[in-house]
Amino acid sequence: MTITTDAVADLRAALPAPDSVLTDPDLLLAGSRDMADLCPAGVPLAIVRPRDTAEVSATVRIAAAHGVPVVPQGARTGLAGGANAVDGSIVISLIRLTQISVDTTARLAVVGAGVVNADLSRAAAREGLDYPPDPGSWESSTIGGNVATDAGGMCCVKYGVTSRYVAGLTVVLADGAVLHCGRYGSERAAGYDLTGLFTGSEGTLGIITEIVLRLRPARRPGRTLAAVFPTVAAAGRAITGITGSRVVPSLLELLDRTHLRAIEDYRPSGLDTGAGALLLAASDTGPGAQTELDIMAAHCERAGATELHVATDQVEADALLAARRLAHPAMERLAAQRFPGGRGGLIVDDVAVPHGRVVELVEGVIRIAESHDVLVGVVGHAGDGNFHPVIVVDLSDPAVLARGRAVFDEIMRLGLSLGGTCTGEHGVGLLKRDWLERELGPVGVRVHQAVKSALDPAGILNPGKVVLPAHDGS
Ligand SMILES: Cc1cc2nc3c(=O)[nH]c(=O)nc-3n(C[C@H](O)[C@H](O)[C@H](O)COP(=O)(O)OP(=O)(O)OC[C@H]3O[C@@H](n4cnc5c(N)ncnc54)[C@H](O)[C@@H]3O)c2cc1C
């Protein structure tokens, strides 16, 4: 009997509930990866589905005792390979940790890591409260995954990304010990900001099992504007104008022609497929919303918008946002149509630049795509300077893949040269590890490695993701 089958026997003994330890080869394969097409995934030894923090802790203790790596997973909607299994690992799926409790007095929610983002939003709304971070995957991604990647979303331009809302965490450490950090009902906790450290750590420092989240009062009614532009660059000028104005939009999203056409083809939504780009802008300041919308409309006109349309009611505004949320599946379908037989794939870039550099970024992306003759659609949380150039590739053609990869790298290089970051929201995972190193520089890498080795000296937590240990040149 090998050491790994001993580990499975120990897991079954520690987690006796049905379906807690999965070893069926088909299930292992199906659960081995997230949604990043190009990132390699290994085959895990087992997928474990604990029901509470104690079972997560027991699982990690067993993994540590057997020297087996552990890969935490939420809903596997990640776009950077962060949730991909490594060979022989124990995948810990947090999806059974679904408790939600809302404290209206403290305006806090305590949630299990497996709670789906939209379920929390709805639970908060029932109490007249709001949980703003709203990734496009909000109907499927988990709060644990959102915290682990520090996810963004459409309303983050005004309300900030996930980390702004994390008040406290329960984390299972690499030896199975349980850490509680942050302070319930207080903005500040004594000591180092451990809550901040684990937020965005992509499962490499600990496994988050429970999260205390700040909530806000429900948002006021808003107004939404759709502006049509002949080119992406013109839309970029409008973005810069709006973000430089005194208005803080509650939403500022860009869709280029490739996305508009892909979405219309996927699910007709009445979008103008002849447009070079569409900008969705909103204000949620109640009675002041129209004034803010007028200011944003003026910036759009100045930048060359050919058509401006204000949604007549919330139903129409919601329909526009719903169309925006279809961007990823629509592009997946476009890739599948372009390269049939399962060959079509996407490389999703996630570059974020300072507001003043947006036009240079979008113009540069177009130039790079043209120079490599590769189809690249651009979509993004424009108000955050966070863009997703989506590169369409034939996964079976090494030459096309190499061109796609070159486009990805050139966009990253451009983003960093403009003072940006290699990940606006999706995290580093496997996809952007090299680029993180360039962004951090040698001292930043050394500090990351020191933190990692202090918290996970045996390197069992999500190995190979984010940053490699100092001795590992692979
Ligand atoms: C259609 C679509 C739209 C998207 N839109 C957005 C968007 O607008 N904004 C955005 O930020 N992202 C977006 N994403 C990417 C993705 O949804 C986010 O990264 C999300 O936060 C991942 O959550 P998840 O539950 O799927 O986590 P997973 O993909 O399962 O995991 C993501 C990472 O977190 C780690 N992890 C997961 N749970 C835990 C835990 N409990 N403890 C420790 N580590 C953990 C994993 O190891 C992995 O490194 C989108 C993806 C899709 C498919």
Side-chain angles (χ1 to χ4, degrees), residues 1-17:
M1 188 178 286
T2 65
I3 192 162
T4 48
T5 52
D6 283 340
V8 171
D10 288 352
L11 289 169
R12 289 198 198 287
L15 286 80

Side-chain angles (χ1 to χ4, degrees), residues 34-35 71-79 81-84 92 94 113-114 134-138 140-154 201-204 206-209 211 324-325 327-329 332 381 386 388 424-427 429 462 465-466:
D34 65 14
M35 295 185 73
V71 178
Q73 286 183 349
R76 296 190 290 111
T77 66
L79 292 170
N84 285 7
I92 302 188
L94 282 304
D134 60 343
S137 56
W138 75 315
S140 48
S141 65
T142 64
I143 295 294
N146 294 170
V147 173
T149 54
D150 196 6
M154 291 206 271
S201 65
E202 301 184 47
T204 61
I207 300 181
I208 298 159
T209 58
I211 304 115
R324 160 64 182 92
R325 286 201 168 98
H328 189 78
E332 282 185 321
H381 307 305
N386 181 198
H388 303 309
E425 58 178 12
H426 294 162
N462 214 2
K465 316 294 166 50
V466 184

Side-chain angles (χ1 to χ4, degrees), residues 10 199 202 212 214 253 315 332:
D10 288 352
T199 302
E202 301 184 47
V212 182
R214 300 184 180 98
E253 294 286 315
V315 175
E332 282 185 321

Side-chain angles (χ1 to χ4, degrees), residues 50-103:
R51 291 168 306 173
D52 54 27
T53 299
E55 288 194 348
V56 175
S57 166
T59 304
V60 175
R61 278 185 207 283
I62 290 165
H66 289 277
V68 174
V70 165
V71 178
Q73 286 183 349
R76 296 190 290 111
T77 66
L79 292 170
N84 285 7
V86 292
D87 277 330
S89 58
I90 296 172
V91 163
I92 302 188
S93 167
L94 282 304
I95 56 169
R96 281 178 161 174
L97 276 61
T98 54
Q99 79 282 2
I100 302 178
S101 102
V102 176
D103 177 343

